[in-house]
Amino acid sequence: MGPYPCGSAAVGWEGVRSEVQCTAAPDIDGLLAGAGYRVRSSDLCQVAQRLERLESAMVYSSGGGHVDYDHLASDAVHYNPSDLASWVDSMLSELTPADPGPVRQAPAPDGWVDQIYPQPQRAVAARMEEEEDSGIRLVHLLMSSAEAIQRGDAALSGSLIDEMRLLLTRVNTGFGIGKVAGYFVDALTRRLYSVSSPAASGSPAEYEILYHHFYEASPYLKFAHFTANQAILEAFDGHDRVHVIDFSLMHGLQWPALIQALALRPGGPPSLRLTGIGPPSPDGRDSLREIGLRLAELARSVRVRFAFRGVAANRLDDVRPWMLQVAPGEAVAVNSVMQLHRLLTDPDSPGPAPIDSVLSWIHGLRPKIVTVVEQEADHNKPGFLDRFTEALFYYSTMFDSLEAGRANGSAAQQQQATAVAEVYLQREIRDIVCCEGPNRAERHELLVRWRARMGQTGFKPVHLGSNAFKQASMLLTLFSGEGYCVEEVDGCLTLGWHSRPLIAASAWRADDLEDNARPVPDNFIFSSISSTSNTNDSNNNNHNNNDIINSNGSMLRRNSNNNSRSSDSSSQQESIHGM
Amino acid sequence: MAGSEEINANESKMVVPLTTWILISNFKLAYNLLRRPDGTFDRHLAEFLDRRVPANSTPINGIASFDILISSLLLRLYFPSDTPTLPDFSNPLFRHPFPVILFFHGGSFAHSSANSAIYDSLCRRLVHHCSPAVVISVNYRRSPEHRYPCAYDDGWTALQWAYNQAFLRNSPNSNPNIFLSGDSSGGNIAHHVALRAAATSNIILSGNILLNPMFGGQCRTPSELKLDGKFFVTLKDRDWYWKAFLPIEADRDHPACNPFGPNSVPISGLPFPKSLVIVAGLDLTHDWQLRYVHGLKEGGHDVKLVFRESATIGFYLLPNNDHCHVVMDEIRNFVSSNCH
């Protein structure tokens, strides 16, 4: 029996397409798509030729003798291996600078809205334990209870909850299924028995403490920061004036690393502006400014020209672009770590959602880079049971990782960080399970949905490359437990636990249009670091970099001679800023 | 000639379809970047380049999958399904005897994972062809970070787990029909796990299915010399992978690599399972695979050899050629006739 019929190089190559797992766009080869590679059928011959050339180049570059491809592996940055043609071309250009054109003349297609892989409906990591039966029983009871709630059968749900409480006394709730089940039983109880809608309790200050412990106990937030910073750093290459807009400043934990990286940049650091958005402090403390001052101090110590502006807003959709005071000629980076999902609404509710206007004005800023990190979960489903089930599996994986993948540090420290980190996650669980409509903020959606949304708004993808991947992988070595995994998915990176991605990072740009000249506001002063040698500038009226603009348009001027006062709202702002 | 640096693209292009040639050539070149001369491996870049797919409990073409963790070992299970729910672990999946195929992916002990796209695809095809069947893909630890015997230990862990699962038996009183299988290094793992089962336990396996299993030895065989560098694979890279897997001071006559060589462990008299061994004629190590088949026969064990003269390594990764279809039929027949 001879080989399957195939011709010589150029002619008559046929492939039989039998069962193909994935649905690929019609001009993409289905077999290679099943193997994870996106190649146009019409490009197949050329890709083959380029592979041959690459092999020759690899062999001959090594001198034909001892084969050493080290520089290709360690120096080269690889992007989006799914796009095989581009990968081969980029390898070839590394080896042979004088190269007669890429496979495709057109720039890389934005195939980001192509659905290559099936929707990860539910990638489950179930665990078998000693209390196997109790654990399974708990899961079944949880689902039944949620289903009863969806049907409106409060009585049944209540009795199932009672049964679960009983079971929980027999199961070890210190770890595993017992622990996460406990949180979900708690959330179901609240949903069933709370008279008022259980809004997120606790102050912003409390939330910051929880956030900080979650930051310490697990690599997820660090991954978000490292990956975003890498993309921002690359996007700022060649720019002297850069402006980062952070959608949720928190403690500003992300920025010291970027400041230091910019300080070490070959050719010297740019002037860096940071605009940090955060909730107003109710107690009169100006926490945004405090963080800004700390960061300014750091920037000064590494000789990076730095200016900070705080924008106080309870909701991102209260922020208006003019508050950010983007200046012409500066390279803008917008950074959103787990903020965008709060702007979503129920998928089946009509009309525009806040996300649409916010994405639209971000686009209007013509940013060089927009870094988006979101939970990789499908928690915005309208049906309660679906949402509950997704959350159960997502958080059980998340809790597993907290338990097993502890950071190296003193046991007591880690114990505490983990315990408080769980409370951080509990707030999310309660929000997802108990809240409906405008009260629900944790509306997580999957990367594939975010990609579609960003693409539709007009953003172009920026691929996160192998150096970001390597950074992220190295970050994981600081955490014990071999379960964490970083994966590259079509230019984006995900961090997960044992093959279940839990957080996804992507990057975008909208800067390829003509720069719209923006009138500089009259009272805008870009302060250089040398004139703020005294970081306590409260005596100096001319320094606007620490002004805080409240979302209702009033401006509070931080000045020890004045009491904080609200100026006369929007009309005054409009005349100044003219936006 | 041992012209390992010679480019023989024309020869390999004559015998595989274009898409297969692209896929395997891509692997070949990417893998060249990952193996360092000093024996270390660029794991970060390897993980970055590997194309992965998530498990999916929603059936695709009638097959669902989910991942399960036992201790710290990840398994991916595939099974026929028409609803997006997980199986009931406490009851038999089917009431009639059905095969459970424990699958070890290839990659010369260093590459790929259970959730690599090519292996997810292959496992789904196995379920499809042997349906109703369960396939369990084992995410064993890889070299050079984890040398012999880590991969074998992980295989053993997976086998013991599978053997004890109620849902993998067709009734509480019957034993599961477990087949060990794998391609390349996975085939090697399958052999060694079967050997351990036969020598140290009461577990009776229904069969072994080895696809281009990875074996070798210290001496150079005619097929190695003749085919070196001609069909995607070089002797040099084979040597590198063995060096990365075997104990530091060992050579290729270590029984892990050369089970019927000078350091062989006798297998006659052991309840070793029946074997189906598929050998590709253009695989430069095929002489070692034929020696393996011979060794099984000498040991008094039942083995069927399927020798595909013009097949190369990886012919089964894309279902676009006759070798693939014939071999899937052979596997189906072997499985159904050994499932009781």
Side-chain angles (χ1 to χ4, degrees), chain A residues 324-398:
Chain A
L324 308 173
Q325 308 215 325
V326 171
E330 62 183 17
V332 173
V334 176
N335 181 75
S336 167
V337 175
M338 300 180 341
Q339 298 306 307
L340 294 184
H341 63 257
R342 300 171 197 282
L343 299 168
L344 298 174
T345 51
D346 278 331
D348 50 7
S349 70
I355 185 73
D356 299 314
S357 60
V358 171
L359 284 184
S360 176
W361 66 247
I362 296 174
H363 190 275
L365 297 177
R366 302 282 179 263
K368 281 267 171 299
I369 189 102
V370 181
T371 47
V372 176
V373 185
E374 284 287 328
Q375 289 93 333
E376 181 65 357
D378 206 354
H379 292 156
N380 199 23
K381 296 178 167 197
F384 178 70
L385 178 60
D386 276 346
R387 196 167 77 240
F388 183 85
T389 309
E390 288 286 336
L392 181 61
F393 288 124
Y394 179 85
Y395 287 101
S396 83
T397 307
M398 181 62 92

Coordinates of all heavy atoms in Angstrom, one line a residue, chain A residues 324-398:
Chain A
L324 N -8.7 63.5 33.0 CA -7.4 62.9 32.9 C -6.3 63.8 32.3 O -5.1 63.5 32.5 CB -7.5 61.6 32.1 CG -8.6 60.7 32.6 CD1 -8.8 59.5 31.6 CD2 -8.3 60.1 34.0
Q325 N -6.8 64.8 31.7 CA -5.9 65.8 31.1 C -4.7 65.2 30.3 O -3.5 65.5 30.6 CB -5.3 66.7 32.3 CG -6.4 67.2 33.1 CD -6.1 68.6 33.7 OE1 -5.0 68.9 34.0 NE2 -7.2 69.5 33.7
V326 N -5.1 64.5 29.3 CA -4.1 63.9 28.4 C -3.6 65.1 27.6 O -4.3 65.8 27.0 CB -4.7 62.8 27.6 CG1 -3.7 62.4 26.5 CG2 -5.1 61.6 28.4
A327 N -2.2 65.2 27.5 CA -1.6 66.3 26.8 C -1.2 65.8 25.4 O -0.9 64.6 25.2 CB -0.4 66.8 27.5
P328 N -1.2 66.7 24.4 CA -0.8 66.3 23.1 C 0.6 65.8 23.1 O 1.5 66.3 23.8 CB -1.0 67.5 22.2 CG -1.0 68.6 23.1 CD -1.5 68.1 24.4
G329 N 0.9 64.8 22.3 CA 2.3 64.3 22.1 C 2.8 63.3 23.2 O 3.9 62.8 23.1
E330 N 2.0 63.1 24.2 CA 2.4 62.1 25.2 C 1.8 60.7 24.8 O 0.7 60.6 24.3 CB 2.0 62.5 26.6 CG 0.6 62.6 26.9 CD 0.3 63.1 28.3 OE1 1.2 63.6 29.0 OE2 -0.9 62.9 28.7
A331 N 2.6 59.7 25.1 CA 2.2 58.4 24.8 C 1.3 57.9 26.0 O 1.8 58.0 27.2 CB 3.4 57.4 24.7
V332 N 0.1 57.5 25.7 CA -0.8 57.1 26.8 C -0.9 55.6 27.0 O -1.1 54.9 26.0 CB -2.2 57.7 26.5 CG1 -3.2 57.2 27.5 CG2 -2.1 59.2 26.4
A333 N -0.9 55.2 28.2 CA -1.2 53.8 28.6 C -2.4 53.8 29.5 O -2.4 54.5 30.5 CB 0.0 53.2 29.2
V334 N -3.4 53.0 29.2 CA -4.5 52.8 30.1 C -4.4 51.5 30.7 O -4.2 50.5 30.0 CB -5.8 53.0 29.3 CG1 -7.0 52.7 30.3 CG2 -5.9 54.4 28.7
N335 N -4.5 51.4 32.0 CA -4.3 50.1 32.7 C -5.5 49.8 33.5 O -5.9 50.5 34.4 CB -3.1 50.3 33.7 CG -2.7 49.0 34.4 OD1 -2.2 48.1 33.9 ND2 -3.1 49.0 35.7
S336 N -6.1 48.6 33.2 CA -7.3 48.2 34.0 C -7.1 46.8 34.5 O -7.1 45.8 33.7 CB -8.5 48.3 33.0 OG -9.6 47.6 33.7
V337 N -6.9 46.7 35.8 CA -6.8 45.4 36.4 C -8.1 45.1 37.2 O -8.4 45.7 38.2 CB -5.6 45.3 37.4 CG1 -5.6 44.0 38.2 CG2 -4.3 45.5 36.7
M338 N -8.9 44.2 36.6 CA -10.2 43.8 37.1 C -11.1 44.9 37.4 O -11.8 44.9 38.5 CB -9.9 42.9 38.3 CG -9.0 41.7 37.8 SD -8.4 40.5 38.9 CE -8.5 41.1 40.5
Q339 N -11.2 45.9 36.5 CA -12.2 46.9 36.7 C -13.3 47.0 35.6 O -14.4 47.4 35.9 CB -11.4 48.3 36.6 CG -10.4 48.5 37.7 CD -11.0 48.3 39.1 OE1 -12.0 48.9 39.5 NE2 -10.4 47.4 39.9
L340 N -12.9 46.6 34.4 CA -13.9 46.7 33.4 C -15.2 45.9 33.6 O -16.3 46.3 33.1 CB -13.3 46.3 32.0 CG -12.1 47.2 31.5 CD1 -11.7 46.8 30.1 CD2 -12.6 48.7 31.5
H341 N -15.0 44.8 34.2 CA -16.2 43.9 34.3 C -17.3 44.6 35.2 O -18.5 44.3 35.1 CB -15.9 42.5 34.9 CG -15.4 42.6 36.3 ND1 -14.0 42.4 36.6 CD2 -16.0 42.8 37.5 CE1 -13.8 42.5 37.9 NE2 -15.0 42.7 38.5
R342 N -16.9 45.6 36.0 CA -17.9 46.3 36.8 C -18.8 47.1 36.0 O -19.9 47.6 36.5 CB -17.2 47.1 37.9 CG -16.3 46.4 38.8 CD -15.5 47.3 39.7 NE -14.4 46.6 40.3 CZ -14.5 45.8 41.4 NH1 -15.6 45.6 42.0 NH2 -13.4 45.1 41.8
L343 N -18.4 47.4 34.8 CA -19.2 48.3 33.9 C -20.2 47.5 33.1 O -20.9 48.1 32.3 CB -18.3 49.1 33.0 CG -17.3 50.0 33.7 CD1 -16.2 50.5 32.8 CD2 -18.0 51.1 34.4
L344 N -20.2 46.2 33.2 CA -21.1 45.4 32.4 C -22.5 45.4 33.1 O -22.7 45.7 34.3 CB -20.6 44.0 32.3 CG -19.2 43.9 31.5 CD1 -18.8 42.4 31.6 CD2 -19.4 44.3 30.1
T345 N -23.5 45.0 32.2 CA -24.8 44.8 32.8 C -25.2 43.4 32.4 O -24.5 42.7 31.8 CB -25.8 45.8 32.1 OG1 -25.7 45.7 30.7 CG2 -25.6 47.2 32.6
D346 N -26.5 43.0 32.8 CA -27.0 41.7 32.4 C -26.9 41.6 30.9 O -27.4 42.5 30.2 CB -28.4 41.5 32.9 CG -28.5 41.1 34.3 OD1 -27.5 40.5 34.8 OD2 -29.5 41.5 35.0
P347 N -26.5 40.5 30.4 CA -26.4 40.3 28.9 C -27.7 40.5 28.2 O -27.7 41.0 27.0 CB -25.9 38.9 28.7 CG -25.3 38.5 30.0 CD -26.0 39.3 31.1
D348 N -28.8 40.2 28.8 CA -30.1 40.3 28.1 C -30.8 41.6 28.4 O -32.0 41.7 28.1 CB -30.9 39.1 28.4 CG -31.0 38.8 29.9 OD1 -30.5 39.6 30.7 OD2 -31.6 37.7 30.2
S349 N -30.2 42.5 29.1 CA -30.9 43.8 29.3 C -30.6 44.7 28.2 O -29.5 44.8 27.6 CB -30.4 44.4 30.7 OG -29.1 44.9 30.5
P350 N -31.6 45.4 27.8 CA -31.5 46.2 26.5 C -30.7 47.5 26.7 O -30.5 47.9 27.9 CB -33.0 46.5 26.2 CG -33.7 46.6 27.5 CD -33.0 45.6 28.4
G351 N -30.4 48.1 25.7 CA -29.7 49.4 25.8 C -28.2 49.3 26.0 O -27.7 48.2 26.3
P352 N -27.6 50.4 25.9 CA -26.1 50.4 26.1 C -25.7 50.2 27.6 O -26.5 50.6 28.4 CB -25.7 51.8 25.6 CG -26.9 52.6 25.8 CD -28.1 51.8 25.7
A353 N -24.6 49.6 27.8 CA -24.1 49.5 29.1 C -23.0 50.5 29.3 O -22.4 51.0 28.4 CB -23.6 48.1 29.3
P354 N -22.7 50.8 30.6 CA -21.6 51.8 30.8 C -20.3 51.4 30.2 O -19.5 52.3 29.8 CB -21.4 51.8 32.4 CG -22.7 51.3 32.9 CD -23.3 50.4 31.8
I355 N -20.1 50.1 30.0 CA -18.8 49.7 29.4 C -18.6 50.3 28.0 O -17.5 50.7 27.6 CB -18.7 48.1 29.3 CG1 -17.4 47.7 28.7 CG2 -19.8 47.6 28.4 CD1 -16.2 47.8 29.7
D356 N -19.7 50.5 27.3 CA -19.6 51.0 25.9 C -19.1 52.4 25.9 O -18.2 52.7 25.1 CB -21.0 50.9 25.2 CG -21.5 49.5 25.1 OD1 -20.7 48.6 24.8 OD2 -22.7 49.2 25.5
S357 N -19.6 53.2 26.8 CA -19.2 54.6 26.7 C -17.7 54.7 27.2 O -16.9 55.5 26.7 CB -20.1 55.5 27.5 OG -20.2 55.1 28.8
V358 N -17.4 53.9 28.2 CA -16.1 54.0 28.8 C -15.0 53.5 27.8 O -14.0 54.2 27.5 CB -15.9 53.2 30.1 CG1 -14.5 53.1 30.5 CG2 -16.8 53.8 31.2
L359 N -15.3 52.4 27.1 CA -14.4 51.9 26.1 C -14.2 52.9 25.0 O -13.2 53.1 24.4 CB -14.8 50.6 25.5 CG -14.6 49.3 26.4 CD1 -15.1 48.1 25.7 CD2 -13.2 49.2 26.9
S360 N -15.4 53.6 24.7 CA -15.3 54.6 23.6 C -14.4 55.7 24.0 O -13.6 56.2 23.2 CB -16.8 55.0 23.4 OG -16.8 56.0 22.4
W361 N -14.5 56.2 25.2 CA -13.6 57.4 25.5 C -12.2 56.9 25.7 O -11.3 57.7 25.4 CB -14.2 58.3 26.6 CG -14.3 57.8 28.0 CD1 -15.4 57.7 28.7 CD2 -13.2 57.6 28.9 NE1 -15.1 57.3 30.0 CE2 -13.8 57.2 30.2 CE3 -11.8 57.6 28.9 CZ2 -13.0 56.9 31.3 CZ3 -11.0 57.3 30.0 CH2 -11.7 56.9 31.2
I362 N -12.0 55.7 26.1 CA -10.6 55.2 26.2 C -10.0 55.2 24.8 O -8.9 55.7 24.5 CB -10.5 53.8 26.7 CG1 -11.0 53.7 28.2 CG2 -9.1 53.3 26.6 CD1 -11.0 52.3 28.7
H363 N -10.8 54.7 23.8 CA -10.4 54.7 22.4 C -10.1 56.1 22.0 O -9.1 56.3 21.3 CB -11.5 54.1 21.6 CG -11.0 53.8 20.2 ND1 -11.1 54.7 19.2 CD2 -10.5 52.7 19.6 CE1 -10.7 54.2 18.0 NE2 -10.3 52.9 18.3
G364 N -10.9 57.1 22.4 CA -10.7 58.4 22.0 C -9.4 59.0 22.5 O -8.9 60.0 22.0
L365 N -8.8 58.5 23.5 CA -7.6 59.0 24.0 C -6.4 58.6 23.1 O -5.3 59.0 23.4 CB -7.3 58.4 25.4 CG -8.3 58.8 26.5 CD1 -7.9 58.1 27.9 CD2 -8.3 60.3 26.7
R366 N -6.7 57.7 22.2 CA -5.7 57.2 21.2 C -4.5 56.6 22.0 O -3.3 56.9 21.8 CB -5.2 58.3 20.3 CG -6.2 59.0 19.5 CD -6.6 58.1 18.3 NE -7.7 58.8 17.5 CZ -9.0 58.5 17.7 NH1 -9.4 57.6 18.5 NH2 -9.8 59.1 16.9
P367 N -4.8 55.7 22.9 CA -3.7 55.1 23.7 C -2.7 54.2 22.9 O -3.2 53.5 22.0 CB -4.4 54.3 24.8 CG -5.7 53.9 24.1 CD -6.1 55.0 23.2
K368 N -1.5 54.3 23.3 CA -0.5 53.4 22.7 C -0.7 52.0 23.2 O -0.4 51.0 22.5 CB 1.0 53.8 23.2 CG 1.5 55.0 22.4 CD 2.4 54.6 21.2 CE 2.8 55.7 20.4 NZ 1.6 56.5 19.8
I369 N -1.2 51.9 24.4 CA -1.4 50.6 24.9 C -2.5 50.6 26.0 O -2.6 51.6 26.7 CB -0.1 50.0 25.5 CG1 -0.3 48.5 25.9 CG2 0.3 50.8 26.8 CD1 0.4 47.6 24.9
V370 N -3.4 49.6 25.9 CA -4.4 49.5 26.9 C -4.2 48.1 27.5 O -4.3 47.1 26.8 CB -5.8 49.6 26.4 CG1 -6.9 49.4 27.5 CG2 -6.0 50.9 25.6
T371 N -3.9 48.0 28.8 CA -3.7 46.7 29.4 C -4.9 46.3 30.1 O -5.4 47.1 30.9 CB -2.5 46.7 30.3 OG1 -2.6 47.8 31.2 CG2 -1.2 46.7 29.5
V372 N -5.5 45.1 29.8 CA -6.7 44.6 30.4 C -6.4 43.3 31.1 O -6.0 42.4 30.4 CB -7.8 44.5 29.3 CG1 -9.1 43.9 29.9 CG2 -8.1 45.8 28.6
V373 N -6.7 43.3 32.4 CA -6.6 42.0 33.1 C -7.9 41.7 33.7 O -8.5 42.6 34.4 CB -5.5 42.0 34.1 CG1 -5.3 40.6 34.8 CG2 -4.1 42.5 33.6
E374 N -8.4 40.5 33.5 CA -9.7 40.2 34.0 C -9.8 38.8 34.5 O -9.0 37.9 34.0 CB -10.8 40.3 32.9 CG -11.2 41.8 32.6 CD -12.1 42.4 33.7 OE1 -12.8 41.6 34.3 OE2 -11.9 43.6 33.9
Q375 N -10.7 38.5 35.4 CA -10.9 37.1 35.9 C -11.4 36.3 34.6 O -12.2 36.7 33.9 CB -12.0 37.0 36.9 CG -11.6 37.6 38.3 CD -12.0 39.0 38.5 OE1 -12.1 39.8 37.5 NE2 -12.1 39.4 39.7
E376 N -10.8 35.1 34.5 CA -11.2 34.3 33.3 C -12.3 33.4 33.8 O -12.1 32.2 34.2 CB -10.0 33.5 32.9 CG -10.2 32.6 31.6 CD -10.6 33.3 30.4 OE1 -10.7 34.6 30.4 OE2 -10.8 32.7 29.3
A377 N -13.5 33.9 33.8 CA -14.7 33.2 34.3 C -15.9 33.7 33.6 O -15.9 34.8 33.1 CB -14.8 33.4 35.8
D378 N -16.9 32.9 33.6 CA -18.2 33.2 32.9 C -19.2 33.5 34.0 O -20.1 32.7 34.2 CB -18.6 32.1 32.0 CG -19.4 32.5 30.9 OD1 -19.8 33.7 30.8 OD2 -19.7 31.7 30.0
H379 N -19.1 34.6 34.7 CA -19.9 34.9 35.9 C -21.0 35.9 35.6 O -21.6 36.5 36.5 CB -19.1 35.3 37.1 CG -18.2 34.2 37.6 ND1 -17.1 34.5 38.3 CD2 -18.3 32.9 37.5 CE1 -16.5 33.3 38.7 NE2 -17.3 32.4 38.2
N380 N -21.2 36.2 34.3 CA -22.2 37.2 34.0 C -23.4 36.6 33.3 O -24.2 37.3 32.6 CB -21.6 38.3 33.1 CG -22.4 39.6 33.1 OD1 -23.2 39.8 34.1 ND2 -22.3 40.4 32.1
K381 N -23.6 35.3 33.6 CA -24.7 34.7 32.9 C -26.0 35.1 33.7 O -26.0 35.1 34.9 CB -24.6 33.2 33.0 CG -23.4 32.6 32.3 CD -23.3 31.1 32.4 CE -22.3 30.6 31.4 NZ -22.4 29.2 31.2
P382 N -27.1 35.3 32.9 CA -28.3 35.8 33.6 C -29.0 34.7 34.4 O -29.5 34.9 35.4 CB -29.2 36.2 32.4 CG -28.6 35.6 31.2 CD -27.1 35.4 31.4
G383 N -28.8 33.4 34.0 CA -29.5 32.3 34.7 C -28.7 32.0 36.0 O -27.5 31.9 36.0
F384 N -29.5 32.0 37.1 CA -28.8 31.8 38.4 C -28.0 30.5 38.5 O -26.9 30.5 39.0 CB -29.9 32.0 39.5 CG -29.3 31.8 40.9 CD1 -28.4 32.8 41.4 CD2 -29.5 30.6 41.6 CE1 -27.8 32.6 42.6 CE2 -28.9 30.5 42.9 CZ -28.1 31.5 43.4
L385 N -28.7 29.4 38.1 CA -28.0 28.1 38.3 C -26.7 28.1 37.5 O -25.7 27.6 38.0 CB -28.9 27.0 37.9 CG -28.4 25.6 38.0 CD1 -28.0 25.3 39.5 CD2 -29.4 24.6 37.5
D386 N -26.7 28.5 36.3 CA -25.5 28.6 35.4 C -24.4 29.3 36.1 O -23.3 28.9 36.2 CB -25.8 29.3 34.1 CG -26.5 28.3 33.1 OD1 -26.4 27.1 33.3 OD2 -27.0 28.8 32.1
R387 N -24.8 30.5 36.6 CA -23.8 31.4 37.2 C -23.3 30.8 38.4 O -22.1 30.8 38.7 CB -24.5 32.7 37.5 CG -23.6 33.9 37.7 CD -24.3 35.2 37.7 NE -25.1 35.5 38.9 CZ -26.4 35.6 38.9 NH1 -27.1 35.6 37.8 NH2 -27.0 35.9 40.1
F388 N -24.1 30.2 39.2 CA -23.7 29.6 40.5 C -22.8 28.5 40.2 O -21.7 28.3 40.9 CB -25.0 29.1 41.2 CG -24.7 28.5 42.5 CD1 -24.7 29.3 43.6 CD2 -24.5 27.1 42.7 CE1 -24.4 28.7 44.9 CE2 -24.3 26.5 43.9 CZ -24.2 27.4 45.0
T389 N -23.1 27.6 39.2 CA -22.2 26.5 38.9 C -20.8 26.9 38.5 O -19.8 26.4 38.9 CB -22.9 25.6 37.8 OG1 -24.2 25.4 38.2 CG2 -22.1 24.4 37.6
E390 N -20.8 27.9 37.6 CA -19.5 28.4 37.1 C -18.7 28.9 38.2 O -17.5 28.7 38.4 CB -19.8 29.6 36.1 CG -20.3 29.3 34.8 CD -19.3 28.6 33.9 OE1 -18.1 28.8 34.1 OE2 -19.7 27.9 33.0
A391 N -19.4 29.7 39.1 CA -18.7 30.3 40.2 C -18.2 29.2 41.2 O -17.0 29.3 41.7 CB -19.6 31.3 41.0
L392 N -18.9 28.2 41.4 CA -18.5 27.1 42.3 C -17.2 26.5 41.8 O -16.3 26.3 42.5 CB -19.6 26.1 42.4 CG -19.4 24.9 43.3 CD1 -19.2 25.4 44.8 CD2 -20.5 23.9 43.3
F393 N -17.2 26.2 40.5 CA -16.0 25.6 40.0 C -14.8 26.5 39.9 O -13.7 26.2 40.2 CB -16.2 25.0 38.6 CG -17.1 23.7 38.7 CD1 -18.3 23.6 38.0 CD2 -16.7 22.7 39.6 CE1 -19.1 22.5 38.2 CE2 -17.6 21.6 39.7 CZ -18.7 21.5 39.0
Y394 N -15.1 27.8 39.6 CA -14.0 28.8 39.5 C -13.4 29.0 40.9 O -12.2 28.9 41.0 CB -14.6 30.1 39.0 CG -13.5 31.2 38.9 CD1 -12.7 31.3 37.8 CD2 -13.4 32.2 39.9 CE1 -11.8 32.4 37.7 CE2 -12.5 33.2 39.8 CZ -11.7 33.3 38.7 OH -10.7 34.3 38.6
Y395 N -14.2 29.3 41.9 CA -13.7 29.6 43.2 C -13.1 28.3 43.9 O -12.2 28.5 44.7 CB -14.7 30.3 44.0 CG -14.8 31.8 43.6 CD1 -15.9 32.1 42.8 CD2 -13.8 32.7 43.8 CE1 -16.0 33.4 42.3 CE2 -13.9 34.0 43.4 CZ -15.0 34.4 42.6 OH -15.1 35.6 42.1
S396 N -13.6 27.2 43.6 CA -13.0 26.0 44.2 C -11.6 25.8 43.7 O -10.6 25.5 44.4 CB -13.8 24.8 44.0 OG -13.6 24.2 42.8
T397 N -11.4 26.1 42.4 CA -10.0 26.1 41.8 C -9.1 27.1 42.5 O -8.0 26.9 42.8 CB -10.0 26.2 40.3 OG1 -10.9 25.3 39.7 CG2 -8.6 26.0 39.7
M398 N -9.7 28.3 42.6 CA -9.0 29.5 43.2 C -8.6 29.1 44.6 O -7.5 29.4 45.0 CB -9.9 30.7 43.1 CG -9.4 32.0 43.6 SD -7.9 32.6 42.8 CE -8.6 33.6 41.5

